[in-house]
Amino acid sequence: MTKVLGISGSLRRSSYNSALLRAATRLMPPDSMLEVASIRGIPLYDGDVEAQGIPAAVAQLKETIVAADGVLLVTPEYNNSIPGVLKNTIDWLSRPAADIKRVFGGRPFALIGASPGPFGTVLSQAAWLPVLRTLGTLTWFGGRIAVSRAANVFDEAGAFKDPALEEQLRQFLAGYVGFITRPPGS
Ligand SMILES: Cc1cc2nc3c(=O)[nH]c(=O)nc-3n(C[C@H](O)[C@H](O)[C@H](O)COP(=O)(O)O)c2cc1C
């Protein structure tokens, strides 16, 4: 069983990105599962807090990532870039730096996102690239899900209204899980 951890970068109750992540949990290929992790409770990064020890919520999320075969980041776009709350989480997860290799190194990541605007989250997804590169992740680029006009895509319960997009997400997840489970050296 391939286990992917999904992290939505929005705290909003009616978040499109969290709806996208929930939809993805139902569209995973056979022999795989998508577990949802929350960034709620991750404090603002503060070096003085770190000097007293890694906060429990951060330490727990780090171990959940280590136990997963891959990480799916579901990112909103703020001011054409990364949302602060999700970057703050990743920054905490990268501490202490000696742990970066264990938590991120060679780990298959993938990025998707949703926005009510016309461009999906293409600029936010692009802004993540140097971060994921710096942390040594193995980010998969075999597909792209940047949901635009998200208000037309999800119903009030957060379910997909757009069967074509649902199929696109299903194929994206199949490609990503195929990448995670590819034979070594291929
Ligand atoms: C500070 C801020 C900046 C934003 N900037 C952008 C932006 O650059 N591009 C965009 O498509 N949407 C932008 N938005 C709108 C968000 O995409 C929208 O609030 C979206 O619903 C957030 O994701 P969520 O539904 O998962 O919470 C911005 C929203 C906020 C609060």
Side-chain angles (χ1 to χ4, degrees), residues 44-55 92 95-96:
L44 281 177
Y45 178 77
D46 178 339
D48 294 335
V49 172
E50 185 189 355
Q52 286 158 37
I54 300 293
W92 259 124
R95 301 303 296 168

Side-chain angles (χ1 to χ4, degrees), residues 135-174:
L135 296 173
T137 67
L138 213 54
T139 300
W140 180 69
F141 297 116
R144 178 174 268 188
I145 299 287
V147 176
S148 57
R149 315 253 186 237
N152 301 332
V153 168
F154 299 103
D155 66 19
E156 261 140 51
F160 264 118
K161 282 198 290 192
D162 182 336
L165 195 56
E166 185 170 353
E167 183 52 29
Q168 210 185 319
L169 181 57
R170 191 192 304 277
Q171 284 177 21
F172 178 97
L173 295 167

Side-chain angles (χ1 to χ4, degrees), residues 8 10 12 14-18 76-81 114-117 120:
S8 166
S10 174
R12 205 165 68 85
S14 304
S15 159
Y16 296 122
N17 287 279
S18 300
E77 177 170 308
Y78 284 178
N79 295 313
N80 291 354
S81 191
S115 144

Side-chain angles (χ1 to χ4, degrees), residues 27-40:
L27 299 171
M28 291 290 278
D31 297 321
S32 68
M33 60 172 290
L34 177 59
E35 186 187 309
V36 174
S38 173
I39 61 171
R40 195 171 289 285

Side-chain angles (χ1 to χ4, degrees), residues 85-149:
V85 290
L86 189 52
K87 178 63 162 52
N88 175 70
T89 299
I90 297 294
D91 290 342
W92 259 124
L93 295 171
S94 72
R95 301 303 296 168
D99 252 7
I100 289 176
K101 203 163 175 206
R102 187 174 74 89
V103 177
F104 294 97
R107 197 171 299 285
F109 271 61
L111 276 169
I112 59 176
S115 144
F119 305 114
T121 51
V122 283
L123 290 171
S124 174
Q125 291 190 33
W128 275 106
L129 301 186
V131 178
L132 295 172
R133 168 68 187 85
T134 292
L135 296 173
T137 67
L138 213 54
T139 300
W140 180 69
F141 297 116
R144 178 174 268 188
I145 299 287
V147 176
S148 57
R149 315 253 186 237

